[in-house]
Amino acid sequence: MLWKLLMRSQPCRLCSFRKMLSAPKYGPFLASFTYTTDSQSKKENKKTVEKLFKLSVDIRKIRRLRGWVLLEDETYVEEIANILRQLGANETAVASILERCPEAIICSPTAVNTQRELWQLVCKNEEELVKLIEQFPESFFTVKDQENRKLNIQFFQELGLKNVVISRFLTTASNIFHNPIEKNKQMIKILQESYLNLGGSEANMKVWLLKLLSQNPFILLNSSAAIKETLEFFQEQGFTDFEILQLLSKLKGFLFQLCPRSIQNSMSFSKNAFKCTDHDLKQLVLKCPALLYYSVSVLEERIQGLLKEGISIAQIRETPMVLELTPQIVQYRIRKLNSLGCGIKDGHLSNLNGTKKEFEANFGKIQAKKRRPLFNPVAPLNVEE
């Protein structure tokens, strides 16, 4: 999915200390380790190591991945573990969380309790909260901008977003909560105005906006200038307001995250590859918006892959959505269809399209049809006496 292409912020107060230190060779769990940097040598905090060891945390794993955490003079191992226990996490879960996010032990208990209260605004109960922390410990222990985060949560709730959607934002799109509340409000206003200016109705605007945000919350990280530039670009390319609105909805808002120059390059390549007019190109783009966001190199690779399988340019042009599939997926699906005697070289490519689930369901129907007997041997025969 497109919306998974995005960043996670790093946990709390050591943003200024991100230099990775080389991990020492494995030794006894509680041995004293010395880390050498350009400026000084520093030993591990022995008390921290002992407390983590008592919690059955894999110290070697922390040394390998986040060794610098063990150098900190001030840590809160027991306090953080207690907070997790209070939420209902068992000892195994506590150890797992601290192994995967050792930075948790340098977050102040006060900040973590505040974070707990914030996340409980969108979680049904503590059991659900613990599950989220187990899955996304780094997101939970990112304890900066908490007041701003609270205001954004309340704003999203006022917009009408469901708590389950907001909790997903907290875990996989936490950057949007670092936006000042005014910035997010401004972006929402711009999206609403753009929707109405493109011919959308006031009555459908809320539903459209909530769906857009739930599919791609990262649209809030855009600038108003980028949105204006993208809309103007498509208008200059001859797309109507209705067509731009179609693309915006189909691409789940990622339209505004595309560079006009890159889009222009991809469209020029497609026009030459399919030898079509500007009008025909527009129709292709509306059928397959992937033509806009795939780079020239990706499009070229996929077209060449299809041609090698014996598929013609005319067939691709008739069913451009096939370009959303990688060459490997195309080869796999063609082999499966060929096993049923369903050649696609001279036919329509619709059987090749769709998500994995859609393809497998369609393949199952074709398979069942191929195996079906020509007549039902147990059906009664109409015989005149």
Side-chain angles (χ1 to χ4, degrees):
M1 286 174 62
L2 285 172
W3 100 292
K4 290 184 178 179
L5 295 173
L6 302 144
M7 311 177 300
R8 285 190 188 168
S9 55
Q10 295 294 326
C12 77
R13 59 186 168 87
L14 287 178
C15 295
S16 61
F17 187 46
R18 286 295 174 190
K19 187 173 183 180
M20 291 299 297
L21 303 173
S22 59
K25 294 181 180 179
Y26 292 155
F29 280 120
L30 299 181
S32 177
F33 280 74
T34 301
Y35 293 78
T36 303
T37 66
D38 295 336
S39 58
Q40 63 179 0
S41 296
K42 192 172 183 181
K43 289 186 177 181
E44 289 180 349
N45 184 325
K46 188 176 179 181
K47 289 184 179 180
T48 297
V49 174
E50 289 174 348
K51 290 174 182 178
L52 288 170
F53 181 71
K54 287 179 182 178
L55 292 171
S56 300
V57 174
D58 187 342
I59 308 297
R60 291 176 301 182
K61 185 175 181 179
I62 294 179
R63 283 173 180 150
R64 186 172 69 251
L65 301 177
R66 299 285 193 276
W68 55 268
V69 172
L70 301 176
L71 305 181
E72 287 298 294
D73 295 326
E74 187 176 12
T75 59
Y76 306 95
V77 178
E78 293 172 337
E79 293 87 344
I80 300 304
N82 284 334
I83 291 173
L84 293 172
R85 290 192 195 101
Q86 289 167 13
L87 287 171
N90 59 33
E91 295 303 313
T92 302
V94 171
S96 174
I97 290 168
L98 296 183
E99 282 173 11
R100 290 162 53 219
C101 184
E103 296 96 325
I105 66 172
I106 56 174
C107 297
S108 78
T110 301
V112 174
N113 275 319
T114 300
Q115 190 81 326
R116 168 184 176 173
E117 292 170 4
L118 287 178
W119 283 47
Q120 284 178 323
L121 292 174
V122 295
C123 291
K124 291 184 293 187
N125 49 49
E126 290 185 342
E127 181 182 359
E128 182 180 296
L129 176 54
V130 169
K131 287 181 180 178
L132 284 178
I133 298 173
E134 285 187 74
Q135 288 180 288
F136 306 96
E138 288 191 3
S139 295
F140 180 76
F141 288 105
T142 301
V143 293
K144 58 184 179 181
D145 299 330
Q146 289 181 311
E147 184 58 34
N148 191 58
R149 187 180 298 249
K150 181 179 180 180
L151 292 172
N152 276 312
I153 289 173
Q154 293 171 340
F155 172 59
F156 292 142
Q157 288 175 327
E158 290 167 3
L159 276 179
L161 284 168
K162 294 181 179 179
N163 284 338
V164 67
V165 175
I166 300 174
S167 68
R168 178 158 53 82
F169 291 175
L170 284 170
T171 56
T172 59
S174 58
N175 279 359
I176 66 172
F177 292 93
H178 301 318
N179 273 352
I181 182 68
E182 293 77 15
K183 166 75 163 40
N184 283 339
K185 285 184 175 180
Q186 180 190 31
M187 286 305 302
I188 293 296
K189 183 179 179 182
I190 290 171
L191 289 172
Q192 290 171 330
E193 290 174 351
S194 298
Y195 176 77
L196 294 175
N197 291 338
L198 291 171
S201 69
E202 187 83 40
N204 294 330
M205 183 175 67
K206 182 178 179 180
V207 173
W208 175 84
L209 178 65
L210 295 183
K211 184 176 180 181
L212 188 70
L213 287 174
S214 64
Q215 291 174 329
N216 177 22
F218 296 97
I219 196 170
L220 295 175
L221 299 179
N222 290 328
S223 67
S224 56
I227 290 179
K228 183 179 178 182
E229 181 184 16
T230 303
L231 292 177
E232 288 177 350
F233 170 79
F234 280 100
Q235 288 166 344
E236 290 168 1
Q237 298 301 312
F239 287 87
T240 66
D241 288 347
F242 177 74
E243 289 169 341
I244 297 173
L245 191 58
Q246 269 188 295
L247 289 173
L248 180 58
S249 299
K250 285 183 178 181
L251 287 175
K252 304 172 185 177
F254 280 96
L255 190 68
F256 293 139
Q257 292 170 247
L258 300 175
C259 169
R261 182 177 178 181
S262 174
I263 298 173
Q264 180 65 69
N265 290 339
S266 296
M267 289 179 66
S268 297
F269 172 80
S270 297
K271 183 178 179 180
N272 292 329
F274 295 113
K275 296 179 173 53
C276 57
T277 63
D278 289 341
H279 177 267
D280 291 337
L281 178 62
K282 276 177 50 181
Q283 299 310 307
L284 279 174
V285 167
L286 292 170
K287 285 176 70 176
C288 179
L291 293 172
L292 296 177
Y293 60 78
Y294 285 137
S295 65
V296 169
S297 60
V298 170
L299 289 172
E300 188 171 22
E301 178 193 21
R302 297 192 175 184
I303 290 174
Q304 289 300 321
L306 291 166
L307 293 177
K308 286 179 182 177
E309 295 296 330
I311 296 169
S312 68
I313 287 290
Q315 284 177 290
I316 301 173
R317 183 170 168 175
E318 184 182 357
T319 315
M321 294 79 73
V322 75
L323 291 170
E324 296 179 358
L325 307 174
T326 66
Q328 293 77 16
I329 292 175
V330 168
Q331 291 171 6
Y332 168 76
R333 293 186 178 183
I334 287 177
R335 284 199 303 269
K336 288 201 73 172
L337 291 170
N338 284 341
S339 70
L340 298 180
C342 297
I344 60 170
K345 292 183 180 179
D346 302 318
H348 199 272
L349 303 183
S350 57
N351 289 336
L352 208 57
N353 271 335
T355 63
K356 179 180 179 181
K357 185 176 181 180
E358 290 168 343
F359 173 77
E360 294 297 341
N362 189 45
F363 180 80
K365 291 177 182 178
I366 297 173
Q367 194 173 41
K369 188 176 180 181
K370 291 283 183 181
R371 292 176 178 174
R372 189 177 301 155
L374 296 177
F375 68 94
N376 188 343
V378 297
L381 295 176
N382 293 323
V383 180
E384 295 183 3
E385 295 183 3

